């Protein structure tokens, strides 16, 4: 996304509205480095539930050829030979630091849409120069206060902001912040022509194959296609993607799963604010069913849950609560609900009006890929969830769901996390020692 020899676009002095995607760079590795700065520049891999396989890796590890999903027992000799540091998944730490990132971002915009544990969309107003300055200030603040690097892409739509962030990550000259307003129309066309169609937000591998079969290989190819025709050939989501590439904002955060980055999420704003835990429990029960429905549709299970809720960002002060925890491998909506409730119980501020919540599932794996002891097998909730999926698919969405009256809490057990780093923001006895 570096500059070409075209003339720069004329300066824009009028106020505009833009969307900025803030993405933590190699998030889990970055979070591990906060309390272990000696790991800066060192290749890091983060392992899944029970230290089974690679679920995240730093840029340095990627350059050494390690891939997402590589089994730990197979690549362990290679990791040790090349001095690659391994860490067990530490979702307590990741959720806590994510919370701090979102708290900082909420100071820069009256509207913040949390997309995942490491991504959020900011809505910004001003001249393009002012918006760019705001994004740079937010990036500096997060790096200065938390030691967490982020990349920020600015554009008129979320899909284009995703592409702008891609450039911010890979072009050193942009210093972590890229705005499509900085480019001429011809330069923007060249940028989009460099993006494979499979890298567009919301385009999966199956859709990518269909698009390439039609001669659509890049984001620019898709951008110049006819939206109505793409709806007839595919669906309304593809039409929205085309419109977004053309500059018309029509995709909300909840319209896109984050499964391609290792998370499945469901989040929404409330039509009426909630003020107490009983209402929050109702929300979490519904959201747990929604997000596990997406999980089962992908043929996946989860072993970690992240949940959040917040008050309105345009009101001061802003209250934002989030957290994460590991759970036994499952696709059970009841297990996910109980985990989300455990994370958020006791955090609501009495009398405050909460307007948004969400649940994200992480540490994903194909169903059946992990052997589980019989006593830890999914309970009836998993079968009920699949039954609800089947009924709703036949007779209409959301007709059948699970109530709040649930099963006994699954037995507590500790998973193997033999290389767990200290949880320096959530556990007193694991605070960082300064000498």
């Amino acid at each position: 996304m570096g500059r070409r020899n075209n003339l720069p676009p004329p300066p824009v002095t009028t106020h505009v509205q833009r969307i900025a995607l803030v993405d933590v760079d190699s998030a889990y590795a970055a979070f591990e480095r906060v309390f272990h700065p000696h790991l800066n520049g060192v290749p890091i891999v983060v392992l899944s539930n029970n230290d089974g396989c690679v679920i995240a890796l730093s840029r340095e590890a990627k350059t050494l050829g390690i891939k997402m999903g590589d089994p730990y027992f197979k690549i362990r000799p290679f990791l040790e030979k090349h001095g690659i540091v391994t860490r067990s998944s530490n979702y307590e730490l990741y959720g806590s630091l994510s919370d701090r990132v979102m708290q900082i971002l909420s100071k820069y915009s009256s509207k913040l849409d949390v997309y995942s544990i490491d991504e959020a969309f900011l809505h910004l107003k001003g001249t393009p120069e002012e918006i760019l300055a705001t994004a740079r200030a937010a990036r500096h603040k997060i790096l200065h206060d938390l030691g967490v690097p982020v990349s920020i892409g600015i554009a008129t739509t979320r899909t284009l902001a995703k592409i702008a962030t891609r450039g911010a990550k890979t072009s050193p000259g942009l210093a972590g912040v890229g705005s499509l307003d900085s480019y001429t129309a011809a330069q923007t066309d060249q940028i989009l022509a460099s993006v494979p169609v499979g890298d567009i937000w919301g385009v999966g591998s199956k859709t990518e194959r269909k698009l390439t079969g039609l001669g659509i290989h890049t984001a620019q190819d898709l951008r110049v296609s006819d939206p109505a025709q793409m709806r007839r050939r595919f669906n309304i989501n593809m039409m929205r993607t085309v419109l977004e590439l053309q500059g018309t904002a029509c995709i909300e955060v909840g319209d896109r799963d984050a499964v391609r980055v290792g998370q499945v999420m469901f989040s929404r704003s409330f039509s009426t604010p909630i003020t107490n835990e009983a209402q929050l429990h109702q929300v979490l029960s519904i959201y747990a069913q929604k997000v596990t429905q997406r999980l089962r549709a992908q043929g996946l299970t989860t072993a970690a849950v992240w949940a959040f809720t917040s008050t309105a960002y345009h009101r001061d002060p802003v209250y934002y609560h989030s957290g994460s925890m590991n759970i036994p491998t499952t696709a059970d909506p009841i297990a996910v609900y109980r985990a989300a409730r455990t994370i958020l119980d006791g955090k609501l501020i009495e009398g405050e009006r909460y307007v948004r919540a969400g649940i994200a599932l992480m540490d994903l794996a194909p169903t059946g890929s992990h052997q589980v002891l019989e006593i830890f097998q999914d309970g009836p909730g998993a079968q009920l969830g699949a039954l609800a999926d089947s009924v709703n698919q036949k007779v209409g969405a959301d007709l059948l769901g699970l109530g709040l009256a649930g099963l006994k809490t699954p037995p507590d057990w500790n998973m193997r996390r033999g290389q767990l780093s200290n949880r320096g923001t959530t556990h007193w006895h694991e605070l960082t020692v300064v000498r």
Side-chain angles (χ1 to χ4, degrees), residues 147-409:
V148 174
V150 302
S151 295
I152 303 178
I154 303 166
T156 53
T157 71
R158 290 182 173 87
T159 302
L160 288 173
K162 278 272 190 177
I163 292 174
T165 305
R166 172 191 172 102
K169 284 179 177 289
T170 57
S171 300
L174 296 178
V177 181
S179 172
L180 291 185
D181 286 321
S182 301
Y183 299 89
T184 64
Q187 288 173 328
T188 300
D189 290 346
Q190 290 177 312
I191 290 168
L192 295 178
S194 70
V195 178
V197 71
D199 288 349
I200 299 173
W201 189 35
V203 175
S205 57
K206 188 178 297 185
T207 303
E208 178 186 9
R209 289 193 293 271
K210 292 180 180 179
L211 288 169
T212 55
L214 296 172
I216 299 174
H217 299 278
T218 69
Q220 178 63 11
D221 294 337
L222 188 57
R223 184 192 198 191
V224 299
S225 62
D226 177 54
Q229 185 181 42
M230 297 308 291
R231 178 176 183 174
R232 289 192 295 271
R233 286 181 176 270
F234 293 87
N235 51 43
I236 191 170
N237 290 327
M238 180 57 67
M239 182 189 76
R240 288 173 177 169
T241 296
V242 175
L243 291 173
E244 287 248 335
L245 289 171
Q246 294 175 352
T248 301
C250 55
I251 294 177
E252 295 297 322
V253 169
D255 296 333
R256 288 285 189 263
D257 277 349
V259 68
R260 294 190 68 210
V261 292
Q263 300 166 24
V264 175
M265 185 171 182
F266 187 89
S267 68
R268 290 289 189 276
S269 295
F270 313 139
S271 57
T272 302
I274 64 173
T275 58
N276 58 61
E277 284 193 346
Q279 293 171 315
L280 180 62
H281 292 166
Q282 293 175 344
V283 169
L284 295 178
S285 177
I286 295 170
Y287 286 15
Q289 293 171 57
K290 293 285 190 182
V291 74
T292 53
Q293 182 180 7
R294 293 181 175 183
L295 189 75
R296 290 186 295 272
Q298 299 283 347
L300 298 171
T301 58
T302 181
V305 176
W306 174 65
F308 80 92
T309 187
S310 72
T311 58
Y313 289 106
H314 64 272
R315 301 185 64 179
D316 195 29
V318 175
Y319 294 102
Y320 176 91
H321 316 292
S322 73
S324 308
M325 65 181 293
N326 292 85
I327 60 174
T329 300
T330 186
D332 181 356
I334 296 175
V336 170
Y337 160 69
R338 291 188 178 278
R341 179 171 169 173
T342 298
I343 290 166
L344 294 177
D345 268 0
K347 293 187 176 181
L348 266 63
I349 307 298
E350 185 176 354
E352 292 298 329
R353 295 159 59 86
Y354 289 82
V355 300
R356 191 174 183 87
I359 297 176
L361 307 179
M362 303 169 293
D363 206 343
L364 307 179
T367 301
S369 62
H370 289 301
Q371 285 194 331
V372 183
L373 293 176
E374 185 177 349
I375 60 172
F376 299 132
Q377 292 282 1
D378 272 336
Q383 287 72 40
L384 289 174
L387 175 62
D389 294 346
S390 176
V391 172
N392 289 332
Q393 187 175 14
K394 291 179 180 178
V395 299
D398 305 328
L399 184 67
L400 184 64
L402 305 179
L404 289 176
L407 306 172
K408 289 182 64 177
T409 304

Side-chain angles (χ1 to χ4, degrees), residues 127-143:
T127 66
E129 292 78 13
E130 291 169 343
I131 291 172
L132 192 59
T134 298
R136 286 171 176 162
R139 182 180 187 274
H140 175 77
K141 179 73 171 174
I142 294 169
L143 186 61

Side-chain angles (χ1 to χ4, degrees), residues 42-45 47 54 57-68 70-86 419:
V42 176
I44 301 172
V45 299
L47 304 175
V54 176
L57 53 164
S58 67
R59 291 184 182 181
E60 297 85 357
K62 292 176 183 177
T63 61
L64 293 174
I66 302 170
K67 299 290 191 296
M68 294 279 286
D70 283 348
Y72 177 51
F73 77 93
K74 285 187 177 181
I75 64 172
R76 184 173 180 177
F78 179 85
L79 299 177
E80 293 174 348
K81 177 181 178 180
H82 292 274
I84 300 170
V85 174
T86 56
Q419 302 177 75

